Amino acid sequence: MQSRYWILLIILMPYTASAQIGDCEPSLGEAMLDAGNVRARILNNGGLFWRGYPPVYEIDGANALFASGIWIGGKINRSLHVAASRYGPWEFWAGPLDEAGNPPADCSLYDKLWEIRTEDISAFLNGEGTSTNLKNWPWHLGAPVIDGDGNPNNYNLAGGDLPALLGDQRLWWIMNDRGNIHEATDSEPIGIEVHASAFAFTTPSVVGNFTFYEYKIINKNTAPVTDTYFTLFTDADLGNLNDDYIGSDTLIHLGFTYNADNDDEGPHGYGIAPPAVGSTFLETIAAEDDGLDNNRDGFADEPGEKLGTTSVMTYYGGSALKGDPVLGPEYYNYMQGKWRYGGPVIEGLDGLDGVPPFKTTRFFLPGDPVTGAFWSEFNRDGAGNSYDPSDRRLITSTGPFVMQPGDTTTVRFAIIWARGESNLDAITQLRKDTRAVRSTAEALYTPRTREEFVTKQLPTVNHVLGFDQNFPNPFSQSTTLRYSLPQIMQVRLAVYDMFGREVALLVDAQQEAGIHTAEFDAGSLPAGVYLARIELDFLRFTKRMLLLK
């Protein structure tokens, strides 16, 4: 009888991993993401943009975001484990976990962010030296590499290996949630290692106003983590923090912040015609066959369907029912699209009482503020009455999903900033840019190839034969192609879509030796990937171009 008692006790006990919690100091590593029009402070502790003044997410003369950060929560044998924070203490620490799930004895050895830029690779491939960034790329920790020597288990620059560059500047860091106790949530660690990236483009097109992120989450437990959610928390403070509004767009998986009127006043404001800023998940876990249209594209359970954004929430400081989360279960409720206490959101008014017919939702304020549709900041009750603007928060989540032992789960998202002719036109532009980013996400997250940095050359007396990458790339309307001829040659330069259809013929003539340029105007072509192909007598070169509108 006694042995049966112990068997029952073991079954009822929550899972406890054998790995140990470390005694790491808080991570202090940071770097500036500044390749494009955005200047963003990136941290390696689970937070973004703020760890104490000043916050940095600057664009177009003002700070667009105050603080963001990732929350991850799930269950291990029905016991809830959460790694989350709003403004610290942070619940991620620098460094990997070992095979047993233990953190480093000294996390400070990994307390940094590694960087690679277009200039680093271009200089190396053109014989202008090897930068420190290139030499120190942490491939041994899992930083991605384009294999050039046929050996995927090394990093051999001389043999053709290169860092996998996304955009024109990529930051990479590694962290875990076992480095110390979770003071913010009072939760047990999940036991995950995270490989994180942030990147941006130098292009003068609208893509320069966006920043992109990738989080690869590795479950180092011996048990699965179920009912898992990944969340991006944002305290925007868009210019002047006291006149912000928020909203969600369920069709394009967008949570966003905008100005309540057309003047973002004050010394920290954007002034007349202020912008809007939002985030959208671009890559999430595959959805189960559940009969639901999870990605909201009009089809249920289609092959390759992803969860996408599954909720957009908010909270109000000081409110007992929907205020600041304090403990792990409260963070987890918000991650699921519920209020702090676990109750559902009811459309209308304050989201607690709602208005008839009392429809529940996981998306806060999904109505269109541009048209004044219910339920939005401009129409809280169906009668056109507005909320008072103030400091707002957004909690954008994807889930639930399962992380099996040893599995890697990848989540990607973009932060998109747009400005129009008014505060409401900024929302229209933000939606347009979000659709363009979503339609070209695969290309945006495809590493640059070696050919994009080196012009193919044949030695001649006066000129070299070459075909440069178009600039800008990505582009939003027009872009320039540049090529060099060593002698008189017959030139045909055309642009094709990804189906191989010719969409533009730019040059079809015999041309003299020298440097030539051709302008490609995309006109009414849809956003997407296009190929520029040049035929020079018997030679043919191709460049990939990315159009965002």
Side-chain angles (χ1 to χ4, degrees):
M1 188 70 178
Q2 187 176 15
S3 62
R4 291 182 181 178
Y5 167 78
W6 283 111
I7 292 172
L8 179 62
L9 181 62
I10 291 171
I11 292 173
L12 293 177
M13 286 178 64
Y15 167 79
T16 303
S18 58
Q20 301 298 310
I21 297 175
D23 59 357
C24 293
E25 295 295 322
S27 298
L28 299 176
E30 65 176 69
M32 205 64 68
L33 187 66
D34 57 6
N37 302 328
V38 183
R39 183 171 176 267
R41 185 185 188 191
I42 307 298
L43 311 172
N44 68 344
N45 57 12
L48 293 167
F49 320 136
W50 184 90
R51 188 186 15 234
Y53 285 92
V56 182
Y57 196 94
E58 301 170 348
I59 182 168
D60 205 11
N63 214 65
L65 296 174
F66 174 70
S68 289
I70 64 165
W71 301 353
I72 303 176
K75 297 176 181 178
I76 303 176
N77 285 357
R78 295 173 294 181
S79 175
L80 180 62
H81 296 242
V82 177
S85 181
R86 294 171 294 124
Y87 311 104
W90 312 104
E91 296 191 338
F92 287 92
W93 291 264
L97 298 177
D98 64 18
E99 291 303 316
N102 295 304
D106 184 1
C107 288
S108 66
L109 298 175
Y110 310 92
D111 192 8
K112 64 174 296 182
L113 290 84
W114 289 265
E115 178 184 28
I116 196 71
R117 291 178 181 259
T118 299
E119 303 92 284
D120 296 310
I121 297 178
S122 293
F124 172 73
L125 294 180
N126 289 290
E128 299 170 7
T130 307
S131 68
T132 301
N133 288 344
L134 206 59
K135 292 177 182 176
N136 295 338
W137 188 244
W139 67 275
H140 57 291
L141 297 176
V145 171
I146 295 178
D147 181 30
D149 65 355
N151 182 359
N153 299 314
N154 70 350
Y155 178 56
N156 180 12
L157 288 170
D161 292 345
L162 288 173
L165 176 62
L166 299 176
D168 291 298
Q169 179 198 12
R170 181 178 192 173
L171 301 175
W172 189 92
W173 64 103
I174 185 170
M175 57 188 183
N176 70 85
D177 83 319
R178 279 195 177 277
N180 214 314
I181 61 173
H182 289 202
E183 295 183 19
T185 61
D186 193 27
S187 170
E188 289 296 313
I190 308 169
I192 51 176
E193 176 180 304
V194 180
H195 298 185
S197 287
F199 65 96
F201 293 86
T202 59
T203 172
S205 71
V206 294
V207 188
N209 298 329
F210 314 151
T211 55
F212 301 88
Y213 305 83
E214 179 180 84
Y215 287 79
K216 293 187 174 182
I217 309 158
I218 305 172
N219 179 17
K220 289 294 185 79
N221 272 300
T222 57
V225 183
T226 63
D227 300 309
T228 310
Y229 288 83
F230 181 101
T231 293
L232 177 66
F233 160 77
T234 299
D235 181 354
D237 296 0
L238 181 60
N240 173 19
L241 64 88
N242 292 314
D243 58 357
D244 287 351
Y245 273 169
I246 58 172
S248 62
D249 190 318
T250 61
L251 294 179
I252 55 175
H253 301 254
L254 176 69
F256 59 96
T257 303
Y258 61 104
N259 212 69
D261 57 34
N262 201 37
D263 184 7
D264 189 33
E265 65 277 1
H268 303 294
Y270 274 99
I272 301 299
V277 63
S279 61
T280 182
F281 284 113
L282 301 173
E283 174 73 17
T284 57
I285 198 73
E288 296 182 359
D289 288 343
D290 52 12
L292 301 176
D293 180 16
N294 291 283
N295 60 1
R296 296 179 292 283
D297 64 351
F299 303 94
D301 297 338
E302 73 269 24
E305 182 180 30
K306 301 294 181 70
L307 285 176
T309 303
T310 53
S311 67
V312 177
M313 276 296 294
T314 189
Y315 69 83
Y316 300 95
S319 169
L321 295 178
K322 51 182 184 176
D324 302 90
V326 177
L327 300 174
E330 296 171 353
Y331 280 87
Y332 190 68
N333 283 335
Y334 279 130
M335 296 165 76
Q336 297 176 87
K338 302 175 182 178
W339 288 118
R340 172 184 175 183
Y341 67 98
V345 177
I346 303 174
E347 287 192 352
L349 301 178
D350 59 359
L352 289 172
D353 300 325
V355 297
F358 305 112
K359 179 183 177 183
T360 62
T361 181
R362 290 177 288 115
F363 290 86
F364 199 76
L365 300 175
D368 187 353
V370 177
T371 63
F374 176 78
W375 177 40
S376 68
E377 295 268 20
F378 288 116
N379 191 350
R380 64 192 297 267
D381 54 3
N385 293 305
S386 301
Y387 292 95
D388 293 328
S390 67
D391 190 8
R392 298 283 203 259
R393 278 84 165 172
L394 274 177
I395 304 164
T396 308
S397 302
T398 183
F401 54 89
V402 176
M403 296 189 294
Q404 296 292 343
D407 279 359
T408 297
T409 299
T410 299
V411 176
R412 294 168 172 168
F413 61 88
I415 295 177
I416 302 171
W417 181 100
R419 199 164 192 172
E421 297 180 359
S422 68
N423 61 319
L424 295 182
D425 187 48
I427 299 172
T428 300
Q429 295 301 317
L430 182 70
R431 288 169 168 159
K432 175 183 176 183
D433 292 345
T434 299
R435 291 187 183 94
V437 167
R438 294 186 61 81
S439 69
T440 55
E442 183 176 353
L444 289 165
Y445 280 83
T446 300
R448 297 292 182 94
T449 64
R450 191 183 189 91
E451 288 71 27
E452 291 183 57
F453 297 100
V454 178
T455 300
K456 291 180 171 63
Q457 296 182 350
L458 296 175
T460 64
V461 176
N462 298 314
H463 293 281
V464 295
L465 178 67
F467 184 36
D468 292 341
Q469 185 67 45
N470 65 300
F471 183 84
N473 188 45
F475 64 104
S476 55
Q477 183 59 46
S478 63
T479 188
T480 300
L481 292 150
R482 180 178 179 270
Y483 55 98
S484 177
L485 305 179
Q487 60 193 36
I488 295 177
M489 301 183 80
Q490 182 67 32
V491 178
R492 190 178 196 277
L493 176 57
V495 178
Y496 299 82
D497 65 17
M498 292 303 291
F499 297 100
R501 297 175 299 203
E502 184 177 300
V503 297
L505 178 61
L506 306 182
V507 179
D508 190 7
Q510 189 177 77
Q511 294 186 315
E512 300 287 335
I515 296 174
H516 301 266
T517 60
E519 193 82 7
F520 171 51
D521 190 326
S524 60
L525 289 172
V529 177
Y530 292 87
L531 301 176
R533 182 176 301 157
I534 191 168
E535 299 177 26
L536 307 168
D537 288 346
F538 58 89
L539 298 172
R540 177 181 295 176
F541 303 134
T542 301
K543 296 292 185 183
R544 186 187 66 181
M545 306 187 296
L546 181 57
L547 171 63
L548 287 176
K549 287 193 162 185

